[in-house]
Amino acid sequence: MTRTGIEAALNDLLFNRDITLQEAADRHFTPEYRQRTDGEWVDRAEFLDHIGHLRTLVRDGRVEVHDELYDGSTYADRHTCHITKTDGSTVRMEVYVFADLAADGRFSRIEETTLMLQGSDADRNIGSAR
């Protein structure tokens, strides 16, 4: 089993324009994937709609993983997203993740809390699934 991690998943979803959003999602997320961000649940379709919108706003960026833990099918991490938007403004967000991995190593569920470090109030939804 090859396990995914948040850095690989976010790089493919947001920054890798050589693959489609669907290819990125299929690499890292199961069909039944669910996510809760700051208390709000979405299913895979809602998550991908949001990521599709973010792809129009994000020019480039990087994911800095500070802590990462795998324990069987459980995953946890703390990371910072450094994002440059197409308008040139920047967003920096710290994210705390707890997740379940399916038997094939893809995410089946993520629960996360975000902390805005730099950016406007309107940028808060960059780090969320809503």
Side-chain angles (χ1 to χ4, degrees):
M1 166 182 79
T2 302
R3 298 181 297 194
T4 193
I6 205 70
E7 183 175 13
L10 289 176
N11 281 334
D12 280 348
L13 288 172
L14 292 175
F15 310 127
N16 183 355
R17 303 307 170 143
D18 294 332
I19 62 173
T20 67
L21 178 57
Q22 191 62 49
E23 289 171 317
D26 289 345
R27 254 184 216 177
H28 302 284
F29 303 91
T30 63
E32 63 277 355
Y33 175 73
R34 296 182 46 206
Q35 178 170 322
R36 183 172 73 166
T37 302
D38 297 331
E40 186 173 330
W41 282 102
V42 296
D43 63 17
R44 180 179 158 131
E46 293 167 309
F47 170 71
L48 293 180
D49 283 347
H50 177 69
I51 297 298
H53 173 69
L54 290 182
R55 280 185 159 205
T56 69
L57 300 176
V58 173
R59 183 173 67 213
D60 62 12
R62 65 184 175 88
V63 178
E64 178 183 5
V65 176
H66 308 290
D67 303 293
E68 187 173 51
L69 174 68
Y70 291 91
D71 184 14
S73 64
T74 303
Y75 174 89
D77 90 6
R78 180 177 64 92
H79 66 274
T80 300
C81 289
H82 303 266
I83 295 171
T84 302
K85 295 170 47 180
T86 55
D87 67 6
S89 63
T90 58
V91 177
R92 197 165 41 97
M93 187 171 292
E94 188 169 347
V95 184
Y96 302 83
V97 171
F98 290 92
D100 290 329
L101 298 169
D104 65 7
R106 295 183 295 169
F107 288 119
S108 61
R109 177 191 59 87
I110 287 180
E111 295 189 43
E112 66 180 25
T113 299
T114 61
L115 174 63
M116 178 67 74
L117 302 174
Q118 176 186 351
S120 69
D121 282 341
D123 293 326
R124 288 196 179 281
N125 69 0
I126 285 179
S128 71
R130 45 188 134 95

